[in-house]
Amino acid sequence: MTTPPTLEVRNLRTHFFTRAGVVKAVDDVSFTVDRGKVLGLVGESGSGKSVTGFSIIGLVDPPGRIVEGQILFQGRDLTKLSEEEMRDLRGNRIAMIFQDPMMTLNPVLRIDTQMIETVLAHQKVSREEARQRARDALGQVGIPSPDERLKAYPHQFSGGMRQRVAIAIALLHKPDLIIADEPTTALDVTIQGQILAEAQKLCAESGTALIWITHDLSVVAGLADDIAVMYAGKVVEEGPVAEVLDAPLHPYTLGLIGSVPSRNRRGEPLRQIPGMTPSLLNLPAGCAFRSRCPRAEPRCAEPPPMAEYRPGRFARCIHPHLEEVAAA
Amino acid sequence: MTVFLLRRLLQAIGVVFAMSVLVFIGVYAIGDPVEILISPDADQIERERAIEALGLNLPLWRQYLVFLGNALQGDLGRSFVFNEPALQLILQRMPATLELAFGAMFIAILLGLPLGLYAGLRPNSIGSKVIMAGSILGFSLPTFWVGLMLIMVFAVQLGWLPSTGRGETVEVLGMRWSFLTWNGLQHLLMPAFNLALFKISLVIRLTRAGVRETVLMDYVKFARAKGLSPSRVTFVHVFKNILIPVVTVVGLELGSTIAFSVVTESVFAWPGMGKLIIDSINVLDRPVIVAYLMMIVLMFITINLIVDVTYSVLDPRVRLESKA
Ligand SMILES: Nc1ncnc2c1ncn2[C@@H]1O[C@H](COP(=O)(O)OP(=O)(O)OP(=O)(O)O)[C@@H](O)[C@H]1O
Ligand code: SF4
Ligand SMILES: [Mg+2]
């Protein structure tokens, strides 16, 4: 018997039932992350990346609800678990790191309080031992004199240091899956580089699976094994990161790559994707990218299915770039 | 912390001084006590002798300097009416007002915090709609009317609680307190609740707003993502954050509760400072009015200082700044 992948999301739909109507924030999302692998989840703002992350860890708040799909974590469907069982997994087997390090730590509680409570939530150990664990975790993410820093409050740390603390908290129980929701967006480039390197090392060493949410393709290029591109609540392209970035199938992916500055194209104007992200409240029937797509044709008014155009290369488009397009 | 306290103390002295001028001039402007205090049959010589004895013949600034000089020695003047030191008159009645005000604040927190917390955590439940509607009543019903209704129901109809006075008192630290005897506590309950009504509503609304705002914060979601129990998230992560604004407002409200317990004291014939000041205003007993107002100023300043200190204990961010 083969061991199941760490995470397999199947046809996930998470909708928000607001007064203005149903917001289909996540609408048919599937992907797989294996042990020790990194999946880059990319897409524009509002494409549903965070909601996907919160769906996995079971923290979608009303009026939002998972309406369909399976989230198989080591073979277990998380959508079927009770709140109690989910709480056992959260922060223990599945951890999450948030985008804004200035907001993730509670301003009125000391770092040690916030770390020790996480240890004690999942393990019956003495306070002293929990403190020991917290200190070790701080050292592990490169915080100098962790003993002293444990007694500090969040505002006494810089943004980069706070994000390290949040990462240390996520690592406390050596989770099997970490969902990192744009954890380096708010940080400057050097610190971003350090954190990325550490994340990579961690996954390789401990077999932790990592979902790295970002809208920055250059981050994904260096870090991820696979990439899933989201647009308006759907995954529109998925595949190994090098192949996708080299020869994207979906016109939206191509547009995303074109809007990233690159050394090879220095001097050329950056290509912009024309138009705006459509409102999730009333998406047009058929391909949601239609109004902005240069390759659109009448057939695109039918919803395009996700199809495997090359081995391991999936795209949700009826007219993908199968001819050799040089993306770079 | 020491520097912080010292700076605040200097500020306080400045404020007290400025207030003493304002209060003195203000009270001087409200009428001529001579007309009230001296019998109309008194002849000219008697009148002048009385005016001189009361120091009312001097120009205003001289009167103020005399007042200031005495005040610095702890003498805020003698009551025209009781012929007793004004300060002593007020201090005698202070315990009654203090226990009424503290009782009211205690009730406000005891009821307001949990109700507000519930309303904030379950904003759409029927219970929280009832609580919020009730808090609007608490805000809008006039205190004296509610006081009379309470007396009607609990004293007259049901006969459960006494309607006037302080009941039995015990002497502690040279002052008489009601809340230390069972009978006194029974007397205290109704007026304290009456005075608390507005504050309960205030605490409920403040707590609810704080909870609603805090539960949306990333750090609360992160706390949940760590796998903490809902009670730990609510009572540690949310509660500690809302405590800051609640403590501030409740603390600041304590001053106004003491200052304006006048209505409740009148309705329940509670022999506190509020009742004394009303009587003194009626007969223009200037030293008592001035002394009372100065006491209130001092009290507000002290309360603000205590609130600031408490605040800095609760909020680590403030603590650091004041150290610098
Ligand atoms: N509580 C909510 N109520 C209604 N709609 C919501 C709610 N939370 C999220 N949404 C909607 O879900 C959609 C996806 O949001 P999500 O936060 O997942 O985007 P994202 O891809 O993470 O974007 P960003 O890069 O800005 O973080 C958005 O259009 C948003 O309007
Ligand atoms: S399905 Fe049509 S509109 Fe949508 S991306 Fe493909 S070509 Fe463009
Ligand atoms: Mg997001």
Side-chain angles (χ1 to χ4, degrees):
Chain A
M1 204 188 106
T2 53
T3 48
T6 303
L7 182 74
E8 191 179 352
V9 176
R10 285 191 197 152
N11 308 104
L12 177 70
R13 290 180 203 271
T14 304
H15 296 177
F16 288 87
F17 298 86
T18 66
R19 247 176 238 168
V22 180
V23 178
K24 299 178 176 171
V26 173
D27 203 31
D28 197 3
V29 162
S30 307
F31 54 76
T32 302
V33 199
D34 282 316
R35 247 180 76 86
K37 296 288 185 205
V38 181
L39 172 79
L41 193 57
V42 298
E44 287 172 308
S45 191
S47 55
K49 308 182 295 292
S50 298
V51 174
T52 304
F54 287 127
S55 303
I56 296 168
I57 203 167
L59 288 180
V60 177
D61 289 320
R65 182 153 57 80
I66 295 177
V67 291
E68 211 187 298
Q70 291 175 307
I71 300 170
L72 301 173
F73 175 70
Q74 299 171 332
R76 221 160 35 131
D77 189 354
L78 300 186
T79 62
K80 301 274 187 306
L81 296 190
S82 69
E83 174 54 28
E84 212 97 319
E85 292 168 309
M86 268 318 282
R87 211 195 310 144
D88 279 346
L89 291 177
R90 255 183 239 139
N92 184 8
R93 304 323 323 145
I94 307 176
M96 191 156 176
I97 305 164
F98 292 9
Q99 173 166 359
D100 187 354
M102 303 314 249
M103 304 297 297
T104 22
L105 299 173
N106 194 324
V108 301
L109 299 176
R110 287 196 335 205
I111 300 297
D112 54 359
T113 314
Q114 303 194 44
M115 295 190 79
I116 289 170
E117 68 181 3
T118 315
V119 176
L120 296 180
H122 299 292
Q123 270 178 338
K124 284 199 169 26
V125 293
S126 70
R127 269 196 98 71
E128 211 23 66
E129 200 178 330
R131 169 179 291 277
Q132 201 94 348
R133 292 266 299 277
R135 199 190 53 202
D136 295 346
L138 283 189
Q140 196 188 339
V141 296
I143 289 183
S145 50
D147 260 320
E148 239 167 81
R149 303 308 269 159
L150 268 180
K151 294 198 201 85
Y153 285 92
H155 70 270
Q156 294 166 299
F157 289 79
S158 68
M161 282 295 163
R162 283 194 219 186
Q163 196 60 295
R164 280 164 196 268
V165 173
I167 293 171
I169 291 176
L171 295 182
L172 277 172
H173 293 282
K174 303 192 171 39
D176 302 312
L177 172 67
I178 298 179
I179 304 163
D181 189 354
E182 312 201 36
T184 56
T185 313
L187 307 178
D188 64 55
V189 183
T190 2
I191 294 169
Q192 183 174 336
Q194 289 170 6
I195 289 184
L196 287 178
E198 279 159 23
Q200 215 160 15
K201 200 174 94 199
L202 169 86
C203 292
E205 279 172 7
S206 62
T208 301
L210 180 62
I211 298 177
W212 196 277
I213 298 177
T214 179
H215 47 246
D216 187 346
L217 280 176
S218 59
V219 167
V220 173
L223 175 73
D225 300 293
D226 294 300
I227 182 172
V229 180
M230 283 190 76
Y231 184 79
K234 289 182 164 45
V235 173
V236 294
E237 174 152 14
E238 202 197 337
V241 72
E243 289 179 39
V244 171
L245 295 183
D246 250 14
L249 292 171
H250 199 281
Y252 174 65
T253 316
L254 184 69
L256 268 188
I257 297 170
S259 59
V260 175
S262 145
R263 209 176 304 169
N264 315 345
R265 281 181 283 119
R266 192 180 300 184
E268 288 174 40
L270 286 180
R271 272 172 278 167
Q272 294 284 324
I273 305 175
M276 289 197 342
T277 324
S279 156
L280 291 176
L281 268 176
N282 40 10
L283 283 176
C287 177
F289 191 53
R290 209 174 47 195
S291 56
R292 305 166 74 186
C293 181
R295 296 166 70 90
E297 49 179 280
R299 277 193 302 154
C300 303
E302 296 289 313
M306 193 76 164
E308 188 169 12
Y309 287 97
R310 299 209 170 109
R313 298 286 312 277
F314 296 85
R316 195 187 288 274
C317 173
I318 46 159
H319 194 184
H321 291 278
L322 288 172
E323 69 279 17
E324 287 304 314
V325 198
Chain B
M1 198 64 174
T2 328
V3 179
F4 166 73
L5 279 177
L6 245 127
R7 203 170 54 211
R8 290 301 307 261
L9 210 65
L10 282 177
Q11 277 173 10
I13 292 173
V15 171
V16 171
F17 184 75
M19 278 307 295
S20 72
V21 176
L22 284 177
V23 164
F24 199 80
I25 295 175
V27 171
Y28 194 89
I30 59 174
D32 187 356
V34 178
E35 301 301 329
I36 297 169
L37 286 171
I38 300 171
S39 121
D41 324 322
D43 62 26
Q44 199 56 26
I45 301 170
E46 270 178 61
R47 258 180 86 88
E48 257 150 41
R49 199 180 300 128
I51 288 175
E52 210 160 314
L54 295 171
L56 296 171
N57 56 336
L58 301 172
L60 181 59
W61 64 272
R62 290 275 311 271
Q63 285 189 40
Y64 175 71
L65 284 185
V66 170
F67 161 75
L68 193 66
N70 291 338
L72 288 178
Q73 294 160 37
D75 175 8
L76 288 171
R78 288 181 90 80
S79 160
F80 299 157
V81 179
F82 297 91
N83 198 23
E84 265 183 62
L87 192 60
Q88 189 185 317
L89 273 175
I90 287 164
L91 288 180
Q92 274 167 4
R93 285 163 177 77
M94 192 144 79
T97 299
L98 282 185
E99 70 181 356
L100 183 62
F102 276 103
M105 294 321 273
F106 182 73
I107 293 175
I109 291 172
L110 203 69
L111 294 179
L113 267 184
L115 290 176
L117 201 61
Y118 176 83
L121 290 174
R122 306 209 190 299
N124 296 319
S125 69
I126 300 201
S128 97
K129 292 201 169 114
V130 171
I131 291 170
M132 293 324 284
S135 82
I136 292 176
L137 285 186
F139 268 130
S140 44
L141 293 179
T143 307
F144 77 90
W145 182 82
V146 177
L148 292 174
M149 287 302 119
L150 287 174
I151 292 177
M152 280 276 287
V153 174
F154 293 102
V156 180
Q157 308 263 324
L158 299 170
W160 289 352
L161 292 167
S163 66
T164 55
R166 292 184 74 185
E168 264 174 56
T169 55
V170 179
E171 192 165 312
V172 178
L173 300 170
M175 289 179 267
R176 308 208 67 87
W177 303 97
S178 301
F179 76 99
L180 294 172
T181 70
W182 177 237
N183 177 275
L185 211 54
Q186 283 178 320
H187 279 80
L188 181 60
L189 185 63
M190 215 161 31
F193 180 76
N194 183 223
L195 188 58
L197 216 56
F198 185 87
K199 316 290 168 200
I200 297 173
S201 307
L202 189 71
V203 173
I204 287 178
R205 301 213 144 235
L206 218 58
T207 309
R208 185 185 108 109
V211 171
R212 300 269 286 143
E213 199 180 305
T214 309
V215 291
L216 297 177
M217 301 305 261
D218 267 5
Y219 57 75
V220 172
K221 201 143 193 175
F222 189 63
R224 291 164 62 203
K226 295 195 296 189
L228 304 184
S229 68
S231 64
R232 172 124 192 136
V233 173
T234 303
F235 291 108
V236 177
H237 285 262
V238 175
F239 203 65
K240 245 201 130 177
N241 275 282
I242 59 163
L243 225 48
I244 294 170
V246 172
V247 164
T248 313
V249 173
V250 164
L252 295 176
E253 279 292 312
L254 179 62
S256 64
T257 312
I258 292 171
F260 306 116
S261 60
V262 176
V263 175
T264 300
E265 286 186 13
S266 303
V267 172
F268 291 91
W270 189 262
M273 296 191 294
K275 210 167 165 319
L276 175 69
I277 188 68
I278 289 288
D279 296 343
S280 302
I281 289 173
N282 280 338
V283 295
L284 282 184
D285 193 347
R286 236 188 246 170
V288 176
I289 301 174
V290 171
Y292 173 81
L293 290 176
M294 291 314 295
M295 283 299 301
I296 294 290
V297 170
L298 274 179
M299 206 144 60
F300 266 92
I301 288 172
T302 315
I303 288 167
N304 282 358
L305 188 64
I306 293 172
V307 169
D308 276 353
V309 171
T310 320
Y311 194 93
S312 76
V313 170
L314 284 175
D315 191 338
R317 287 161 297 189
V318 176
R319 204 179 313 161
L320 192 81
E321 278 155 32
S322 59
K323 250 190 245 159

